[in-house]
Amino acid sequence: MNNRHRGTMIVGLVLIILGVLFLLSNFGIFEIYFDIFDIGFLFAHFWPMFLIIPGVVFHYAYFTAKAPDAGLLVPGGILFVTGLTCQISMLFDLWSFMWPGFILAVAVGLFELYLFGTREKGLLIPVFILGGLSLIFFTFSLGSSWVLRTYLVPIILILGGILIVTRNRRI
């Protein structure tokens, strides 16, 4: 049995076991003290897993393929980081602070494409712009100290500008 078939079998068995446990719990045969088998409870608190799991699957598909296509990492990175952003926000009620994670998700997906793809330098422009914007917005949304707002944001903007200007000079 190859690894792919074994992995599929394990996922299938886990789904069967979870289904049986849910069914037994619903009929009152198997009592759970924590509402962990209540579908409403699970979905209300862990719905971002529907984003994280496909993100992990995209990464798994890339890293285990015989002829990997780096394009799989873009949706994988976006889904994974978006899912993590949502999960942290759900568990700790941090929606007003974590929203820049959605911008960061696109930067991560594109950066993974750069790292594991053809290393096309043009991909770094949106990665740095989106990553920098995300960092700036995280700084402001987290209510950072006066020092961070006063020095960090201008320094990031200056360094970004220097990178763009020096890159254009070489072309």
Side-chain angles (χ1 to χ4, degrees):
M1 185 182 315
N2 64 20
N3 286 341
R4 179 176 235 158
H5 186 66
R6 186 177 308 132
T8 306
M9 290 293 290
I10 291 171
V11 169
L13 289 173
V14 167
L15 291 175
I16 290 169
I17 290 169
L18 283 174
V20 168
L21 288 175
F22 280 130
L23 193 61
L24 292 175
S25 176
N26 289 340
F27 285 122
I29 297 170
F30 183 67
E31 291 297 321
I32 303 297
Y33 295 107
F34 307 99
D35 282 331
I36 197 159
F37 288 111
D38 178 16
I39 294 291
F41 173 83
L42 287 175
F43 191 75
H45 292 87
F46 299 103
W47 63 266
M49 288 299 159
F50 290 107
L51 300 171
I52 294 172
I53 292 170
V56 170
V57 169
F58 275 115
H59 283 89
Y60 179 79
Y62 171 76
F63 288 112
T64 59
K66 288 187 168 115
D69 179 14
L72 290 172
L73 296 174
V74 176
I78 291 171
L79 286 171
F80 185 75
V81 174
T82 300
L84 282 178
T85 299
C86 291
Q87 189 63 63
I88 291 168
S89 298
M90 281 293 303
L91 292 177
F92 303 108
D93 194 26
L94 296 174
W95 288 103
S96 60
F97 304 112
M98 293 297 293
W99 66 268
F102 298 116
I103 299 169
L104 181 64
V106 179
V108 168
L110 292 174
F111 188 65
E112 285 182 330
L113 178 62
Y114 169 78
L115 275 181
F116 298 103
T118 58
R119 295 230 176 211
E120 184 181 326
K121 301 255 189 241
L123 281 173
L124 291 178
I125 294 170
V127 167
F128 283 127
I129 290 171
L130 294 171
L133 284 174
S134 178
L135 180 65
I136 290 168
F137 293 145
F138 266 125
T139 302
F140 285 111
S141 73
L142 291 173
S144 299
S145 70
W146 173 83
V147 173
L148 283 177
R149 281 187 282 199
T150 304
Y151 298 109
L152 183 64
V153 173
I155 289 172
I156 290 171
L157 292 173
I158 291 168
L159 290 175
I162 290 171
L163 283 172
I164 291 171
V165 168
T166 57
R167 184 178 173 341
N168 286 339
R169 276 183 136 184
R170 285 187 237 150
I171 294 176

